[in-house]
Amino acid sequence: DSLMMLAHSMRYAMMAPQEDGLVELYKEVEQIDRLIRINQVISGERIAVINQIGEECFAMKKRIPPMLLLTFVENVFKRGNLFDAPAKISLNANDNGLHLRTENLRANRRVFASEHIGIDNAKARLKKYYNNNFVLEQHDNGSTFILDLKLNL
Protein backbone atom coordinates (compact mmCIF):
# COMPACT_ATOMS: atom_id res chain seq x y z
CA ASP A 1 0.00 0.00 0.00
CA SER A 2 2.79 2.46 0.90
CA LEU A 3 4.69 1.62 -2.24
CA MET A 4 1.59 2.20 -4.35
CA MET A 5 1.01 5.59 -2.69
CA LEU A 6 4.57 6.57 -3.49
CA ALA A 7 4.24 5.34 -7.08
CA HIS A 8 1.05 7.36 -7.58
CA SER A 9 2.73 10.45 -6.16
CA MET A 10 5.73 10.07 -8.44
CA ARG A 11 3.47 9.54 -11.46
CA TYR A 12 1.60 12.74 -10.62
CA ALA A 13 4.84 14.72 -10.28
CA MET A 14 6.12 13.43 -13.62
CA MET A 15 2.93 13.76 -15.66
CA ALA A 16 2.89 16.20 -18.54
CA PRO A 17 0.47 19.05 -17.88
CA GLN A 18 -2.36 19.68 -20.30
CA GLU A 19 -2.16 22.50 -22.83
CA ASP A 20 -3.35 25.10 -20.34
CA GLY A 21 -0.80 23.89 -17.77
CA LEU A 22 -3.54 23.01 -15.27
CA VAL A 23 -4.88 19.87 -13.58
CA GLU A 24 -8.23 19.08 -12.01
CA LEU A 25 -8.47 20.23 -8.40
CA TYR A 26 -9.42 16.75 -7.20
CA LYS A 27 -6.13 15.34 -8.54
CA GLU A 28 -4.14 17.85 -6.50
CA VAL A 29 -6.28 17.07 -3.44
CA GLU A 30 -5.66 13.33 -3.88
CA GLN A 31 -1.94 14.06 -3.85
CA ILE A 32 -2.24 16.08 -0.65
CA ASP A 33 -4.03 13.14 0.95
CA ARG A 34 -1.30 10.75 -0.25
CA LEU A 35 1.45 13.06 1.00
CA ILE A 36 -0.11 13.10 4.46
CA ARG A 37 -0.46 9.31 4.53
CA ILE A 38 3.09 8.72 3.23
CA ASN A 39 4.54 10.97 5.93
CA GLN A 40 2.51 9.19 8.60
CA VAL A 41 3.85 5.83 7.42
CA ILE A 42 7.44 7.13 7.30
CA SER A 43 7.14 8.42 10.87
CA GLY A 44 5.78 5.11 12.12
CA GLU A 45 2.41 6.77 12.71
CA ARG A 46 4.03 9.02 15.34
CA ILE A 47 3.07 12.34 13.73
CA ALA A 48 -0.30 13.96 14.14
CA VAL A 49 -2.12 15.76 11.35
CA ILE A 50 -5.59 17.21 11.58
CA ASN A 51 -6.66 16.99 7.97
CA GLN A 52 -9.83 18.88 7.08
CA ILE A 53 -10.32 18.68 3.33
CA GLY A 54 -13.83 19.56 2.28
CA GLU A 55 -15.62 16.92 0.21
CA GLU A 56 -16.44 19.60 -2.35
CA CYS A 57 -12.75 19.67 -3.31
CA PHE A 58 -13.08 16.15 -4.71
CA ALA A 59 -16.24 16.92 -6.69
CA MET A 60 -15.48 20.31 -8.23
CA LYS A 61 -14.51 20.64 -11.88
CA LYS A 62 -12.09 23.52 -11.21
CA ARG A 63 -8.51 23.38 -12.49
CA ILE A 64 -5.33 24.66 -10.87
CA PRO A 65 -1.58 24.58 -11.61
CA PRO A 66 -0.13 21.17 -10.65
CA MET A 67 1.88 20.92 -7.44
CA LEU A 68 0.68 24.36 -6.32
CA LEU A 69 -1.16 23.40 -3.14
CA LEU A 70 1.05 20.36 -2.64
CA THR A 71 4.11 22.61 -2.30
CA PHE A 72 2.58 24.46 0.66
CA VAL A 73 1.44 21.24 2.36
CA GLU A 74 4.84 19.61 1.81
CA ASN A 75 6.39 22.55 3.68
CA VAL A 76 4.45 21.48 6.78
CA PHE A 77 6.31 18.17 6.81
CA LYS A 78 9.69 19.62 5.84
CA ARG A 79 9.77 22.40 8.42
CA GLY A 80 7.29 21.39 11.08
CA ASN A 81 7.39 19.64 14.42
CA LEU A 82 4.46 17.25 14.13
CA PHE A 83 5.50 15.13 17.11
CA ASP A 84 4.68 17.62 19.88
CA ALA A 85 1.49 19.07 18.43
CA PRO A 86 -0.63 18.13 15.44
CA ALA A 87 -0.31 20.04 12.20
CA LYS A 88 -3.57 21.45 10.92
CA ILE A 89 -4.31 21.39 7.21
CA SER A 90 -7.64 22.66 5.94
CA LEU A 91 -8.80 23.06 2.37
CA ASN A 92 -12.19 24.26 1.27
CA ALA A 93 -13.56 25.38 -2.07
CA ASN A 94 -16.68 26.72 -3.67
CA ASP A 95 -17.58 28.04 -7.13
CA ASN A 96 -15.80 31.32 -6.44
CA GLY A 97 -12.62 30.28 -4.71
CA LEU A 98 -10.40 28.07 -2.68
CA HIS A 99 -8.98 28.45 0.82
CA LEU A 100 -5.92 26.55 2.06
CA ARG A 101 -4.68 27.02 5.60
CA THR A 102 -1.82 25.19 7.29
CA GLU A 103 -0.64 25.60 10.86
CA ASN A 104 2.22 23.80 12.54
CA LEU A 105 4.85 24.11 15.22
CA ARG A 106 8.26 24.99 13.83
CA ALA A 107 10.91 22.31 14.12
CA ASN A 108 13.55 23.22 16.71
CA ARG A 109 16.26 22.01 14.40
CA ARG A 110 16.94 22.69 10.77
CA VAL A 111 15.31 19.72 9.09
CA PHE A 112 16.29 20.37 5.48
CA ALA A 113 18.72 22.84 3.98
CA SER A 114 16.69 24.91 1.56
CA GLU A 115 16.67 28.05 -0.48
CA HIS A 116 12.84 28.16 -0.52
CA ILE A 117 12.81 27.37 -4.23
CA GLY A 118 9.51 25.48 -3.98
CA ILE A 119 7.71 28.31 -2.19
CA ASP A 120 9.19 30.95 -4.51
CA ASN A 121 8.13 28.86 -7.50
CA ALA A 122 4.61 28.49 -6.09
CA LYS A 123 4.36 32.26 -5.57
CA ALA A 124 5.50 32.88 -9.16
CA ARG A 125 2.89 30.45 -10.47
CA LEU A 126 0.20 32.10 -8.38
CA LYS A 127 1.06 35.44 -10.00
CA LYS A 128 1.22 33.92 -13.48
CA TYR A 129 -2.11 32.10 -13.34
CA TYR A 130 -4.11 34.28 -10.96
CA ASN A 131 -2.59 37.74 -11.35
CA ASN A 132 -3.95 39.61 -8.32
CA ASN A 133 -6.80 37.19 -7.64
CA PHE A 134 -5.21 35.59 -4.60
CA VAL A 135 -4.04 36.43 -1.11
CA LEU A 136 -1.08 34.55 0.37
CA GLU A 137 -0.17 35.30 3.96
CA GLN A 138 2.54 33.64 6.01
CA HIS A 139 2.91 34.21 9.74
CA ASP A 140 5.89 32.98 11.73
CA ASN A 141 6.19 33.89 15.40
CA GLY A 142 9.27 31.71 15.88
CA SER A 143 7.38 28.74 17.31
CA THR A 144 4.32 28.45 15.06
CA PHE A 145 4.03 28.84 11.30
CA ILE A 146 0.72 29.62 9.61
CA LEU A 147 0.10 29.79 5.88
CA ASP A 148 -3.18 31.15 4.57
CA LEU A 149 -3.95 31.07 0.83
CA LYS A 150 -7.18 32.41 -0.61
CA LEU A 151 -7.53 31.92 -4.32
CA ASN A 152 -10.26 33.23 -6.60
CA LEU A 153 -11.12 30.56 -9.16
Side-chain angles (χ1 to χ4, degrees):
D1 188 45
S2 298
L3 190 55
M4 289 305 296
M5 284 189 293
L6 186 57
H8 284 291
S9 293
M10 291 181 73
R11 189 175 304 124
Y12 180 77
M14 300 300 290
M15 77 176 182
Q18 296 198 3
E19 238 177 82
D20 63 0
L22 304 174
V23 297
E24 290 83 5
L25 175 60
Y26 79 88
K27 288 184 179 180
E28 184 85 352
V29 172
E30 287 174 346
Q31 293 307 310
I32 291 170
D33 190 50
R34 279 192 191 101
L35 180 66
I36 292 168
R37 290 187 299 164
I38 287 169
N39 277 281
Q40 287 174 323
V41 168
I42 289 169
S43 76
E45 305 295 333
R46 293 179 299 143
I47 61 171
V49 178
I50 299 171
N51 177 12
Q52 299 172 324
I53 297 177
E55 289 299 318
E56 71 279 2
C57 296
F58 291 98
M60 294 185 73
K61 302 293 182 194
K62 299 293 185 177
R63 297 168 56 77
I64 63 170
M67 309 290 287
L68 179 68
L69 303 177
L70 197 60
T71 299
F72 297 120
V73 173
E74 180 184 45
N75 207 44
V76 169
F77 295 99
K78 286 173 64 175
R79 308 239 176 264
N81 172 358
L82 283 63
F83 296 98
D84 293 335
K88 299 173 188 168
I89 300 168
S90 67
L91 178 64
N92 297 291
N94 60 38
D95 288 336
N96 299 320
L98 177 145
H99 182 206
L100 171 69
R101 180 181 169 89
T102 67
E103 181 176 344
N104 58 276
L105 288 180
R106 303 268 314 171
N108 292 332
R109 63 190 172 10
R110 187 168 187 127
V111 180
F112 291 96
S114 174
E115 296 176 13
H116 302 286
I117 293 170
I119 298 294
D120 290 344
N121 183 308
K123 288 177 182 177
R125 289 186 296 139
L126 280 167
K127 290 176 185 170
K128 175 183 176 184
Y129 284 97
Y130 299 101
N131 204 3
N132 292 323
N133 293 316
F134 71 92
V135 175
L136 176 63
E137 297 177 345
Q138 299 175 75
H139 308 280
D140 185 352
N141 68 9
S143 63
T144 303
F145 181 80
I146 298 171
L147 178 130
D148 201 28
L149 173 64
K150 294 177 183 157
L151 184 60
N152 295 333
L153 298 175

mmCIF file of all heavy atoms in Angstrom, residues 90-124:
data_model
loop_
_atom_site.group_PDB
_atom_site.id
_atom_site.type_symbol
_atom_site.label_atom_id
_atom_site.label_comp_id
_atom_site.label_asym_id
_atom_site.label_seq_id
_atom_site.Cartn_x
_atom_site.Cartn_y
_atom_site.Cartn_z
ATOM 1 N N SER A 90 -6.235 22.575 6.370
ATOM 2 C CA SER A 90 -7.635 22.660 5.943
ATOM 3 C C SER A 90 -7.689 23.210 4.528
ATOM 4 O O SER A 90 -6.916 24.096 4.152
ATOM 5 C CB SER A 90 -8.459 23.513 6.905
ATOM 6 O OG SER A 90 -8.054 24.856 6.863
ATOM 7 N N LEU A 91 -8.594 22.648 3.758
ATOM 8 C CA LEU A 91 -8.796 23.061 2.375
ATOM 9 C C LEU A 91 -10.277 23.023 2.085
ATOM 10 O O LEU A 91 -10.938 22.000 2.291
ATOM 11 C CB LEU A 91 -8.043 22.124 1.421
ATOM 12 C CG LEU A 91 -8.190 22.408 -0.068
ATOM 13 C CD1 LEU A 91 -7.585 23.762 -0.425
ATOM 14 C CD2 LEU A 91 -7.532 21.305 -0.884
ATOM 15 N N ASN A 92 -10.785 24.151 1.638
ATOM 16 C CA ASN A 92 -12.194 24.261 1.274
ATOM 17 C C ASN A 92 -12.298 25.002 -0.048
ATOM 18 O O ASN A 92 -11.434 25.821 -0.376
ATOM 19 C CB ASN A 92 -12.977 25.024 2.355
ATOM 20 C CG ASN A 92 -12.956 24.288 3.671
ATOM 21 O OD1 ASN A 92 -13.559 23.249 3.803
ATOM 22 N ND2 ASN A 92 -12.228 24.826 4.629
ATOM 23 N N ALA A 93 -13.361 24.715 -0.779
ATOM 24 C CA ALA A 93 -13.556 25.378 -2.068
ATOM 25 C C ALA A 93 -15.039 25.544 -2.335
ATOM 26 O O ALA A 93 -15.876 24.802 -1.816
ATOM 27 C CB ALA A 93 -12.906 24.556 -3.182
ATOM 28 N N ASN A 94 -15.334 26.544 -3.143
ATOM 29 C CA ASN A 94 -16.682 26.720 -3.668
ATOM 30 C C ASN A 94 -16.542 27.243 -5.094
ATOM 31 O O ASN A 94 -15.432 27.313 -5.623
ATOM 32 C CB ASN A 94 -17.522 27.652 -2.776
ATOM 33 C CG ASN A 94 -16.928 29.026 -2.645
ATOM 34 O OD1 ASN A 94 -16.370 29.592 -3.591
ATOM 35 N ND2 ASN A 94 -17.033 29.604 -1.460
ATOM 36 N N ASP A 95 -17.633 27.605 -5.727
ATOM 37 C CA ASP A 95 -17.581 28.041 -7.126
ATOM 38 C C ASP A 95 -16.705 29.273 -7.330
ATOM 39 O O ASP A 95 -16.188 29.500 -8.413
ATOM 40 C CB ASP A 95 -18.992 28.317 -7.656
ATOM 41 C CG ASP A 95 -19.775 27.039 -7.854
ATOM 42 O OD1 ASP A 95 -19.139 25.974 -8.029
ATOM 43 O OD2 ASP A 95 -21.010 27.083 -7.821
ATOM 44 N N ASN A 96 -16.550 30.075 -6.302
ATOM 45 C CA ASN A 96 -15.800 31.323 -6.438
ATOM 46 C C ASN A 96 -14.334 31.220 -6.048
ATOM 47 O O ASN A 96 -13.514 32.017 -6.497
ATOM 48 C CB ASN A 96 -16.450 32.422 -5.591
ATOM 49 C CG ASN A 96 -17.865 32.697 -6.034
ATOM 50 O OD1 ASN A 96 -18.150 32.717 -7.218
ATOM 51 N ND2 ASN A 96 -18.753 32.874 -5.078
ATOM 52 N N GLY A 97 -13.993 30.291 -5.167
ATOM 53 C CA GLY A 97 -12.621 30.281 -4.714
ATOM 54 C C GLY A 97 -12.238 29.079 -3.895
ATOM 55 O O GLY A 97 -13.007 28.151 -3.688
ATOM 56 N N LEU A 98 -11.013 29.158 -3.422
ATOM 57 C CA LEU A 98 -10.398 28.074 -2.681
ATOM 58 C C LEU A 98 -9.660 28.678 -1.494
ATOM 59 O O LEU A 98 -9.104 29.771 -1.609
ATOM 60 C CB LEU A 98 -9.427 27.372 -3.629
ATOM 61 C CG LEU A 98 -8.581 26.243 -3.123
ATOM 62 C CD1 LEU A 98 -8.426 25.234 -4.232
ATOM 63 C CD2 LEU A 98 -7.222 26.758 -2.716
ATOM 64 N N HIS A 99 -9.664 27.968 -0.373
ATOM 65 C CA HIS A 99 -8.977 28.451 0.819
ATOM 66 C C HIS A 99 -8.154 27.313 1.415
ATOM 67 O O HIS A 99 -8.702 26.288 1.814
ATOM 68 C CB HIS A 99 -9.986 28.968 1.842
ATOM 69 C CG HIS A 99 -9.348 29.529 3.072
ATOM 70 N ND1 HIS A 99 -9.990 29.571 4.281
ATOM 71 C CD2 HIS A 99 -8.129 30.080 3.291
ATOM 72 C CE1 HIS A 99 -9.191 30.115 5.189
ATOM 73 N NE2 HIS A 99 -8.052 30.418 4.612
ATOM 74 N N LEU A 100 -6.839 27.492 1.441
ATOM 75 C CA LEU A 100 -5.919 26.547 2.064
ATOM 76 C C LEU A 100 -5.308 27.222 3.273
ATOM 77 O O LEU A 100 -4.832 28.351 3.188
ATOM 78 C CB LEU A 100 -4.797 26.142 1.093
ATOM 79 C CG LEU A 100 -3.653 25.319 1.702
ATOM 80 C CD1 LEU A 100 -4.140 23.919 2.094
ATOM 81 C CD2 LEU A 100 -2.477 25.235 0.736
ATOM 82 N N ARG A 101 -5.311 26.510 4.387
ATOM 83 C CA ARG A 101 -4.677 27.018 5.604
ATOM 84 C C ARG A 101 -3.889 25.882 6.238
ATOM 85 O O ARG A 101 -4.404 24.775 6.389
ATOM 86 C CB ARG A 101 -5.716 27.542 6.586
ATOM 87 C CG ARG A 101 -5.101 28.077 7.877
ATOM 88 C CD ARG A 101 -6.201 28.564 8.831
ATOM 89 N NE ARG A 101 -5.688 28.843 10.146
ATOM 90 C CZ ARG A 101 -5.202 30.012 10.548
ATOM 91 N NH1 ARG A 101 -5.177 31.021 9.711
ATOM 92 N NH2 ARG A 101 -4.760 30.184 11.774
ATOM 93 N N THR A 102 -2.637 26.163 6.561
ATOM 94 C CA THR A 102 -1.818 25.194 7.289
ATOM 95 C C THR A 102 -1.306 25.873 8.547
ATOM 96 O O THR A 102 -1.052 27.078 8.550
ATOM 97 C CB THR A 102 -0.620 24.678 6.458
ATOM 98 O OG1 THR A 102 0.303 25.746 6.226
ATOM 99 C CG2 THR A 102 -1.079 24.091 5.140
ATOM 100 N N GLU A 103 -1.186 25.086 9.592
ATOM 101 C CA GLU A 103 -0.641 25.603 10.855
ATOM 102 C C GLU A 103 0.155 24.485 11.508
ATOM 103 O O GLU A 103 -0.329 23.360 11.630
ATOM 104 C CB GLU A 103 -1.769 26.051 11.773
ATOM 105 C CG GLU A 103 -1.297 26.622 13.082
ATOM 106 C CD GLU A 103 -2.432 27.155 13.952
ATOM 107 O OE1 GLU A 103 -3.551 27.363 13.438
ATOM 108 O OE2 GLU A 103 -2.181 27.354 15.146
ATOM 109 N N ASN A 104 1.378 24.797 11.899
ATOM 110 C CA ASN A 104 2.216 23.799 12.542
ATOM 111 C C ASN A 104 3.263 24.452 13.428
ATOM 112 O O ASN A 104 3.634 25.603 13.221
ATOM 113 C CB ASN A 104 2.903 22.907 11.501
ATOM 114 C CG ASN A 104 3.753 23.699 10.521
ATOM 115 O OD1 ASN A 104 3.236 24.216 9.548
ATOM 116 N ND2 ASN A 104 5.053 23.798 10.780
ATOM 117 N N LEU A 105 3.700 23.680 14.427
ATOM 118 C CA LEU A 105 4.848 24.108 15.220
ATOM 119 C C LEU A 105 6.072 24.071 14.335
ATOM 120 O O LEU A 105 6.196 23.206 13.467
ATOM 121 C CB LEU A 105 5.074 23.169 16.408
ATOM 122 C CG LEU A 105 4.102 23.221 17.568
ATOM 123 C CD1 LEU A 105 4.527 22.212 18.640
ATOM 124 C CD2 LEU A 105 4.013 24.615 18.158
ATOM 125 N N ARG A 106 6.989 24.995 14.560
ATOM 126 C CA ARG A 106 8.261 24.992 13.826
ATOM 127 C C ARG A 106 9.164 23.927 14.446
ATOM 128 O O ARG A 106 9.170 23.750 15.661
ATOM 129 C CB ARG A 106 8.952 26.344 13.919
ATOM 130 C CG ARG A 106 8.136 27.513 13.438
ATOM 131 C CD ARG A 106 8.295 27.898 12.052
ATOM 132 N NE ARG A 106 9.683 27.967 11.626
ATOM 133 C CZ ARG A 106 9.995 28.129 10.361
ATOM 134 N NH1 ARG A 106 9.074 28.259 9.460
ATOM 135 N NH2 ARG A 106 11.250 28.186 9.981
ATOM 136 N N ALA A 107 9.922 23.252 13.615
ATOM 137 C CA ALA A 107 10.911 22.307 14.124
ATOM 138 C C ALA A 107 12.008 23.082 14.839
ATOM 139 O O ALA A 107 12.400 24.157 14.391
ATOM 140 C CB ALA A 107 11.486 21.488 12.972
ATOM 141 N N ASN A 108 12.485 22.555 15.951
ATOM 142 C CA ASN A 108 13.553 23.218 16.709
ATOM 143 C C ASN A 108 14.894 23.130 16.012
ATOM 144 O O ASN A 108 15.793 23.886 16.288
ATOM 145 C CB ASN A 108 13.675 22.604 18.108
ATOM 146 C CG ASN A 108 12.468 22.922 18.956
ATOM 147 O OD1 ASN A 108 11.823 23.952 18.766
ATOM 148 N ND2 ASN A 108 12.148 22.039 19.883
ATOM 149 N N ARG A 109 15.012 22.190 15.128
ATOM 150 C CA ARG A 109 16.257 22.012 14.400
ATOM 151 C C ARG A 109 16.003 22.257 12.921
ATOM 152 O O ARG A 109 14.870 22.202 12.462
ATOM 153 C CB ARG A 109 16.792 20.607 14.609
ATOM 154 C CG ARG A 109 15.826 19.568 14.058
ATOM 155 C CD ARG A 109 16.174 18.179 14.431
ATOM 156 N NE ARG A 109 15.285 17.122 14.141
ATOM 157 C CZ ARG A 109 14.196 17.085 13.410
ATOM 158 N NH1 ARG A 109 13.763 18.137 12.823
ATOM 159 N NH2 ARG A 109 13.486 16.013 13.237
ATOM 160 N N ARG A 110 17.063 22.521 12.212
ATOM 161 C CA ARG A 110 16.937 22.691 10.767
ATOM 162 C C ARG A 110 16.776 21.304 10.160
ATOM 163 O O ARG A 110 17.679 20.474 10.231
ATOM 164 C CB ARG A 110 18.158 23.390 10.192
ATOM 165 C CG ARG A 110 17.964 23.716 8.751
ATOM 166 C CD ARG A 110 19.044 24.649 8.263
ATOM 167 N NE ARG A 110 18.670 25.038 6.924
ATOM 168 C CZ ARG A 110 18.572 26.260 6.529
ATOM 169 N NH1 ARG A 110 18.828 27.240 7.344
ATOM 170 N NH2 ARG A 110 18.226 26.539 5.296
ATOM 171 N N VAL A 111 15.622 21.044 9.593
ATOM 172 C CA VAL A 111 15.313 19.719 9.085
ATOM 173 C C VAL A 111 15.940 19.513 7.717
ATOM 174 O O VAL A 111 16.570 18.506 7.450
ATOM 175 C CB VAL A 111 13.778 19.503 9.025
ATOM 176 C CG1 VAL A 111 13.451 18.136 8.502
ATOM 177 C CG2 VAL A 111 13.163 19.724 10.398
ATOM 178 N N PHE A 112 15.757 20.454 6.834
ATOM 179 C CA PHE A 112 16.288 20.370 5.478
ATOM 180 C C PHE A 112 16.958 21.690 5.139
ATOM 181 O O PHE A 112 16.396 22.755 5.401
ATOM 182 C CB PHE A 112 15.156 20.148 4.457
ATOM 183 C CG PHE A 112 14.507 18.803 4.545
ATOM 184 C CD1 PHE A 112 13.346 18.625 5.272
ATOM 185 C CD2 PHE A 112 15.053 17.721 3.889
ATOM 186 C CE1 PHE A 112 12.743 17.396 5.349
ATOM 187 C CE2 PHE A 112 14.447 16.480 3.953
ATOM 188 C CZ PHE A 112 13.297 16.313 4.692
ATOM 189 N N ALA A 113 18.114 21.628 4.524
ATOM 190 C CA ALA A 113 18.717 22.840 3.975
ATOM 191 C C ALA A 113 17.867 23.237 2.772
ATOM 192 O O ALA A 113 17.462 22.390 1.983
ATOM 193 C CB ALA A 113 20.149 22.573 3.557
ATOM 194 N N SER A 114 17.571 24.497 2.642
ATOM 195 C CA SER A 114 16.694 24.911 1.558
ATOM 196 C C SER A 114 16.935 26.369 1.208
ATOM 197 O O SER A 114 17.365 27.160 2.033
ATOM 198 C CB SER A 114 15.232 24.740 1.979
ATOM 199 O OG SER A 114 14.372 25.254 0.999
ATOM 200 N N GLU A 115 16.633 26.661 -0.025
ATOM 201 C CA GLU A 115 16.667 28.048 -0.478
ATOM 202 C C GLU A 115 15.260 28.538 -0.803
ATOM 203 O O GLU A 115 15.081 29.512 -1.502
ATOM 204 C CB GLU A 115 17.590 28.148 -1.694
ATOM 205 C CG GLU A 115 19.022 27.801 -1.349
ATOM 206 C CD GLU A 115 19.936 27.810 -2.558
ATOM 207 O OE1 GLU A 115 19.535 28.311 -3.628
ATOM 208 O OE2 GLU A 115 21.057 27.309 -2.431
ATOM 209 N N HIS A 116 14.259 27.814 -0.332
ATOM 210 C CA HIS A 116 12.844 28.158 -0.521
ATOM 211 C C HIS A 116 12.455 28.195 -1.997
ATOM 212 O O HIS A 116 11.566 28.949 -2.383
ATOM 213 C CB HIS A 116 12.501 29.473 0.175
ATOM 214 C CG HIS A 116 12.796 29.442 1.636
ATOM 215 N ND1 HIS A 116 12.023 28.767 2.539
ATOM 216 C CD2 HIS A 116 13.815 29.983 2.349
ATOM 217 C CE1 HIS A 116 12.532 28.905 3.742
ATOM 218 N NE2 HIS A 116 13.625 29.626 3.656
ATOM 219 N N ILE A 117 13.092 27.385 -2.805
ATOM 220 C CA ILE A 117 12.807 27.366 -4.231
ATOM 221 C C ILE A 117 11.365 26.958 -4.498
ATOM 222 O O ILE A 117 10.695 27.543 -5.335
ATOM 223 C CB ILE A 117 13.804 26.435 -4.964
ATOM 224 C CG1 ILE A 117 15.199 27.031 -4.888
ATOM 225 C CG2 ILE A 117 13.379 26.191 -6.409
ATOM 226 C CD1 ILE A 117 16.301 26.113 -5.363
ATOM 227 N N GLY A 118 10.879 25.944 -3.775
ATOM 228 C CA GLY A 118 9.508 25.477 -3.977
ATOM 229 C C GLY A 118 8.481 26.554 -3.684
ATOM 230 O O GLY A 118 7.550 26.773 -4.453
ATOM 231 N N ILE A 119 8.644 27.247 -2.569
ATOM 232 C CA ILE A 119 7.708 28.306 -2.186
ATOM 233 C C ILE A 119 7.799 29.474 -3.172
ATOM 234 O O ILE A 119 6.782 30.013 -3.603
ATOM 235 C CB ILE A 119 7.969 28.777 -0.745
ATOM 236 C CG1 ILE A 119 7.741 27.628 0.245
ATOM 237 C CG2 ILE A 119 7.117 29.991 -0.397
ATOM 238 C CD1 ILE A 119 6.319 27.131 0.344
ATOM 239 N N ASP A 120 9.016 29.860 -3.542
ATOM 240 C CA ASP A 120 9.185 30.949 -4.510
ATOM 241 C C ASP A 120 8.557 30.581 -5.847
ATOM 242 O O ASP A 120 7.914 31.415 -6.495
ATOM 243 C CB ASP A 120 10.667 31.286 -4.704
ATOM 244 C CG ASP A 120 11.269 31.964 -3.482
ATOM 245 O OD1 ASP A 120 10.505 32.439 -2.624
ATOM 246 O OD2 ASP A 120 12.514 31.996 -3.395
ATOM 247 N N ASN A 121 8.728 29.329 -6.257
ATOM 248 C CA ASN A 121 8.130 28.861 -7.502
ATOM 249 C C ASN A 121 6.604 28.904 -7.405
ATOM 250 O O ASN A 121 5.927 29.343 -8.343
ATOM 251 C CB ASN A 121 8.619 27.436 -7.798
ATOM 252 C CG ASN A 121 8.100 26.898 -9.106
ATOM 253 O OD1 ASN A 121 6.905 26.925 -9.361
ATOM 254 N ND2 ASN A 121 9.007 26.378 -9.905
ATOM 255 N N ALA A 122 6.061 28.470 -6.286
ATOM 256 C CA ALA A 122 4.605 28.491 -6.095
ATOM 257 C C ALA A 122 4.065 29.924 -6.144
ATOM 258 O O ALA A 122 3.031 30.191 -6.757
ATOM 259 C CB ALA A 122 4.232 27.818 -4.781
ATOM 260 N N LYS A 123 4.783 30.851 -5.534
ATOM 261 C CA LYS A 123 4.357 32.261 -5.574
ATOM 262 C C LYS A 123 4.380 32.795 -7.005
ATOM 263 O O LYS A 123 3.465 33.513 -7.425
ATOM 264 C CB LYS A 123 5.270 33.119 -4.693
ATOM 265 C CG LYS A 123 5.078 32.900 -3.218
ATOM 266 C CD LYS A 123 6.077 33.741 -2.431
ATOM 267 C CE LYS A 123 5.970 33.516 -0.953
ATOM 268 N NZ LYS A 123 6.975 34.278 -0.189
ATOM 269 N N ALA A 124 5.408 32.431 -7.758
ATOM 270 C CA ALA A 124 5.499 32.876 -9.157
ATOM 271 C C ALA A 124 4.345 32.302 -9.979
ATOM 272 O O ALA A 124 3.770 33.002 -10.817
ATOM 273 C CB ALA A 124 6.840 32.474 -9.758
#
